[in-house]
Amino acid sequence: MADRIELITPDWPAPPAVRAVATTRRGGLSIGRYASLNLAGHVGDDDRAMAGNRARLCAELGLVHPPRWLNQVHGCGIVDAAAARGIPEADAALATQPGPACVVLTADCLPVLFCNDAGTVVAAAHAGWRGLA
């Protein structure tokens, strides 16, 4: 049995309705070079392990809707998390209504989180190290 998923909660002045977390690699089902909590579907991990990791994360967070997973590219594409279908190609997700969580995956890059003062609009963007530099 895998360990409990390890979550990092950002210390930011977001409105109470806005929730954000980052995961570590702990608490997943993947083995080998993808151990343990691999959430990426494009890296060659066992699909069942990756899907199990995503399911564990959704359960841990108590999500009603599955997150809006992206086929991330280093670009400037952004999708509406509620309106997008399938696995859209983009580097950021935006939500203007409750529904799927905005998600970005990072390795040597950083997640950038946004929200308005009311907490009615949120976004998550994948920031590459070159763009940040």
Side-chain angles (χ1 to χ4, degrees):
M1 183 74 164
D3 294 330
R4 185 179 177 120
I5 291 177
E6 187 175 84
L7 300 174
I8 300 168
T9 304
D11 181 12
W12 65 324
V18 176
R19 188 169 162 206
V21 299
T23 62
T24 69
R25 298 276 307 256
R26 294 185 179 155
L29 305 171
S30 298
I31 58 173
R33 66 186 275 196
Y34 305 107
S36 144
L37 187 68
N38 171 53
L39 299 168
H42 65 285
V43 296
D45 191 8
D46 179 78
D47 287 339
R48 290 172 299 187
M50 183 274 303
N53 290 339
R54 288 181 175 187
R56 287 176 61 93
L57 178 62
C58 290
E60 176 74 23
L61 297 175
L63 299 179
V64 175
H65 304 282
R68 174 55 58 213
W69 299 101
L70 304 174
N71 179 22
Q72 282 181 222
V73 294
H74 287 274
C76 57
I78 185 168
V79 298
D80 179 328
R85 298 292 174 250
I87 302 175
E89 188 170 282
D91 219 25
L94 168 79
T96 59
Q97 59 190 18
C102 299
V103 177
V104 291
L105 301 173
T106 59
D108 62 347
C109 302
L110 293 173
V112 180
L113 308 174
F114 306 90
C115 72
N116 66 357
D117 289 338
T120 57
V121 179
V122 300
H126 167 255
W129 65 268
R130 286 186 181 110
L132 289 172

